[in-house]
Amino acid sequence: MARPNDEVAELFQEYADLLSITGGDAFKIRSYEKAARGIGGYHKDVSTLGTSELRSIPGVGASIADKIAEYVATGTVAAVERVRQKVPPGVRRLVAIPTLGPKKAAALYEQLGISSVEELEAAIHSEALRGLKGFGPRTEENILHGIRLLRQSGERVLLDTALGLAEEIVAAVSAAPGCLRCTHAGSLRRFRETIGDVDVLAAAEDSGPLMAALRDSPVVAEIIAAGEKKTSVRTTEGVQVDLRVVPAAAWGAALQYFTGSQAHNVRTRVMAVRAGLKLSEYGLFDSGTGELIVSETEDEVYGRLGLPWIPPTLREDRGEIEAGLDGTVPRLVTEADLRGDLHTHTDLTDGVGSLEHMVDAAAARGLEYYAVTDHAPDMPMQRMTAEKMLAQRERVRELDRKHPGMRVLHGTELNIGPDGDVDWPHAFLREFDLCVASVHSHFTQDRATMTRRLVRACENPDVAVIGHPTARLIGRREPIDVDLEELFRACARTGTALEINAQPDRLDLRDEHILLAKRFGVRFAIDSDAHAVGHLGFVRYGVGTAQRGWLTADDVITAWPWPRLREFLEAGRS
DNA sequence: GCCGTTTTCGGCCCGACTGTTTTCAGTCG
């Protein structure tokens, strides 16, 4: 499903990696990395753009614009091919080993001809690295350890796993004597869909007891590094946790720094330098006198740079700096804005909560409306029938009367068949309050077929929401191959909302696709897809993902009051 | 290789920790 932009971004990232192994100019390498990010996040398809428009992409100048054009025309870039000749693909793999970077990879390849992880492992065992400059016994051990990690998991963990771990560590560190503040930062605070390692920040005068609290935590399996300001550990589940301790006066600067992203921080530091300032995790300083200017809150740090406070979920260098300067940072949708949930299950199909329990739990969350959308019969394992559905409807209507503060809606999650048909005829579907429709089978159709299939589902007047639109399962199933722009156009034209499914292993649509869809005027439904009472809270991950897609409450139909949502549903059916 | 209301040339973010070092390079975030 790679867009041309993603292909070009990956190509330039590879080029940057290869240049770093061959010892290329560090600034040139950074330029290619920056251009790769700019191209990957650019909203227009680079294969349709002329030179001048290519050069308006952040980080793209004359030389890179030419290389993009060359790639679009020929499918290859001569400069990249040349450096590929010099560095076998296995050598690039070496830098994926923790503690092994481009310099060591280059030394191993040039001096010993090592060009794969397997060869490196064998070379260490046969003591071939002995005597190689810069490679002592500890380095050998670290590399072997790194190879084991790479093979075992090396994988990123899902948001809910990382957040649970972070909350546990934050509680332990907060309880240590002298801890003034403690919270998680990093990609977790930015709500990235998967987390590589968990960053925890604390403030204290004496870091000793805090570091000890982390080291002594029962979840810690291994201590990677232990210093006065930073301790890194690996948990029994293989997740790395970094704890940084700073003085309370530096809290804001440190939180800003450790929240990232790296690309965002590069931008803020450059802004500081241009203003005659120096920004570090300890504060914003006058670069001439070294005098501290601000450091206590993030608000002050951004303010002194001429920016409003920027929400962590936007800090990816995807235009938030420019929006800050223009005063156009959006008021992002929050969990408090959500008024309902339009995709949930009960034990009538594959849920584990009874209808009554689910509805009571939804009411306890203070929702204004709540839709029960059990699976339809074309998913044979669910054993659904029209009779069961109608019987459930009677109970839903009763519950609706029992909960005067909350509309209980009766819906269903239909299956989008291979050619775009759904389970029941219009006469039956029209009696539901709303229908979600999702792909649950035939995941490998070609793009044209898959696109027609989804567009047909959008055109069905009874379908209000497309559920988990790309059907991916993070780390387990690739997204379906669909022309997203075609789908977004169809949604906007037919008044069909796209779901932001908040299950942590789905998060579907994902952030960048939300950003793109919004440009087409698409509306979104943040849904829990809850199969149990405990899943209703997953919407926090959906909100984080929506924020990463720059959505406001106005973009999200589940943040609308019921009368506005009812109008939207009726308009889609007319 | 990119970029510019200080610059079309000369800059380009910055600090912590580890390991192999006799003063610092490499890696990481």
Side-chain angles (χ1 to χ4, degrees):
Chain A
M1 216 178 56
R3 282 195 306 154
N5 295 36
D6 298 331
E7 288 174 19
V8 173
E10 166 54 28
L11 185 74
F12 287 152
Q13 183 59 52
E14 179 191 349
Y15 189 47
D17 289 348
L18 296 178
L19 288 176
S20 71
I21 292 166
T22 58
D25 175 54
F27 295 114
K28 178 171 163 181
I29 293 163
R30 223 179 275 168
S31 294
Y32 276 100
E33 287 177 335
K34 188 179 175 204
R37 282 198 308 274
I39 293 160
Y42 198 64
H43 61 282
K44 289 187 187 163
D45 181 343
V46 290
S47 67
T48 65
L49 304 180
T51 310
S52 65
E53 202 169 358
L54 286 173
R55 291 194 57 174
S56 68
I57 301 172
V60 175
S63 170
I64 291 183
D66 284 349
K67 288 189 176 68
I68 298 173
E70 181 186 354
Y71 179 77
V72 169
T74 69
T76 180
V77 173
V80 179
E81 292 305 323
R82 275 197 297 278
V83 68
R84 275 177 177 167
Q85 297 300 314
K86 288 198 259 180
V87 184
V91 178
R92 187 182 173 213
R93 271 292 286 169
L94 294 181
V95 303
I97 300 170
T99 73
L100 204 161
K103 293 289 191 294
K104 284 201 170 79
L108 290 166
Y109 177 57
E110 284 163 13
Q111 298 180 45
L112 298 174
I114 291 169
S115 63
S116 73
V117 176
E118 290 70 29
E119 285 171 26
L120 174 57
E121 194 176 26
I124 294 173
H125 286 130
S126 66
E127 304 191 351
L129 270 59
R130 299 292 162 86
L132 195 60
K133 188 162 176 263
F135 289 80
R138 296 285 310 179
T139 302
E140 284 189 356
E141 272 176 46
N142 288 341
I143 292 174
L144 287 177
H145 187 53
I147 291 174
R148 275 197 299 278
L149 282 176
L150 186 67
R151 290 196 179 136
Q152 276 172 18
S153 59
E155 296 296 319
R156 299 170 68 86
V157 295
L158 298 177
L159 258 181
D160 57 332
T161 306
L163 195 59
L165 174 60
E167 285 171 348
E168 192 170 342
I169 302 270
V170 167
V173 173
S174 298
C179 181
L180 302 170
R181 305 187 73 160
C182 183
T183 189
H184 67 268
S187 54
L188 184 55
R189 185 168 179 236
R190 305 198 313 276
F191 273 92
R192 269 195 64 173
E193 63 189 32
T194 60
I195 306 300
D197 47 47
V198 170
D199 292 301
V200 176
L201 178 68
E205 293 310 311
D206 174 13
S207 68
L210 283 64
M211 298 304 192
L214 174 62
R215 291 197 304 270
D216 295 344
S217 163
V219 302
V220 171
E222 177 193 353
I223 293 164
I224 301 165
E228 189 191 338
K229 294 174 175 164
K230 174 180 169 182
T231 293
S232 296
V233 301
R234 195 164 344 260
T235 69
T236 49
E237 287 185 335
V239 184
Q240 183 172 328
V241 179
D242 294 337
L243 171 63
R244 292 288 298 239
V245 180
V246 298
W251 179 258
L255 186 58
Q256 197 277 332
Y257 178 74
F258 292 116
T259 297
S261 63
Q262 201 177 351
H264 176 85
N265 286 355
V266 167
R267 293 294 307 273
T268 53
R269 289 198 174 191
V270 168
M271 288 181 75
V273 168
R274 297 218 170 116
L277 307 169
K278 188 189 72 155
L279 180 59
S280 78
E281 55 264 54
Y282 295 110
L284 191 57
F285 300 88
D286 185 301
S287 54
T289 65
E291 183 193 355
L292 174 67
I293 298 170
V294 288
S295 62
E296 278 191 30
T297 69
E298 283 194 332
D299 215 35
E300 290 173 319
V301 171
Y302 281 110
R304 190 60 185 72
L305 293 174
L307 292 167
W309 179 82
I310 293 181
T313 42
L314 295 187
R315 299 182 194 172
E316 298 288 348
D317 192 20
R318 290 182 185 158
E320 73 279 8
I321 300 284
E322 290 74 11
L325 291 169
D326 291 351
T328 54
V329 176
R331 233 187 94 137
L332 299 175
V333 62
T334 67
E335 200 175 346
D337 291 327
L338 294 186
R339 294 167 185 258
D341 195 335
L342 297 180
H343 181 179
T344 70
H345 297 273
T346 75
D347 58 8
L348 183 62
T349 55
D350 58 351
V352 295
S354 71
L355 175 63
E356 287 73 15
H357 277 137
M358 296 296 285
V359 169
D360 285 347
R365 290 179 62 82
L367 295 185
E368 198 176 312
Y369 46 89
Y370 180 80
V372 177
T373 56
D374 272 313
H375 288 287
D378 287 356
M379 229 179 162
M381 68 177 96
Q382 307 295 347
R383 304 190 173 282
M384 179 53 71
T385 62
E387 292 69 33
K388 285 190 193 176
M389 209 38 124
L390 293 173
Q392 185 188 55
R393 184 171 300 158
E394 291 312 306
R395 294 165 63 204
V396 166
R397 299 299 180 226
E398 265 177 51
L399 288 167
D400 183 47
R401 286 189 288 274
K402 253 184 64 183
H403 289 277
M406 181 175 84
R407 291 296 317 259
V408 187
L409 306 174
H410 192 233
T412 180
E413 183 184 11
L414 300 166
N415 303 286
I416 304 175
D419 48 14
D421 288 335
V422 296
D423 305 67
W424 278 301
H426 172 64
F428 192 79
L429 294 180
R430 69 196 294 184
E431 301 301 323
F432 285 102
D433 296 318
L434 87 160
C435 299
V436 177
S438 317
V439 169
H440 293 117
S441 64
H442 302 86
F443 298 112
T444 56
Q445 289 177 323
D446 64 75
R447 172 177 289 220
T449 310
M450 189 66 85
T451 305
R452 268 200 309 279
R453 176 185 183 186
L454 280 161
V455 168
R456 272 203 69 200
C458 290
E459 288 169 343
N460 185 322
D462 293 308
V463 172
V465 177
I466 302 292
H468 45 74
T470 74
R472 71 159 177 178
L473 293 173
I474 296 173
R476 287 187 291 144
R477 183 167 70 216
E478 290 294 311
I480 54 174
D481 188 7
V482 58
D483 183 336
L484 287 172
E485 299 198 6
E486 208 47 52
L487 172 61
F488 298 158
R489 261 189 286 277
C491 287
R493 173 166 54 82
T494 60
T496 308
L498 285 176
E499 181 173 76
I500 298 172
N501 188 297
Q503 294 277 324
D505 63 343
R506 288 194 184 270
L507 297 177
D508 182 11
L509 281 181
R510 58 173 302 178
D511 53 1
E512 343 180 321
H513 295 153
I514 294 167
L515 203 51
L516 183 61
K518 180 179 158 108
R519 293 173 179 276
F520 286 80
V522 174
R523 306 292 195 180
F524 304 85
I526 298 175
D527 292 328
S528 69
D529 192 5
H531 286 65
V533 166
H535 293 179
L536 292 171
F538 283 166
V539 290
R540 69 193 293 197
Y541 308 119
V543 169
T545 302
Q547 290 189 346
R548 292 178 59 81
W550 290 57
L551 297 191
T552 67
D554 191 53
D555 297 316
V556 176
I557 64 172
T558 46
W560 292 355
W562 167 243
R564 184 176 176 195
L565 175 61
R566 189 178 51 201
E567 268 180 43
F568 176 84
L569 296 175
E570 284 169 2
R573 280 178 155 169
S574 61

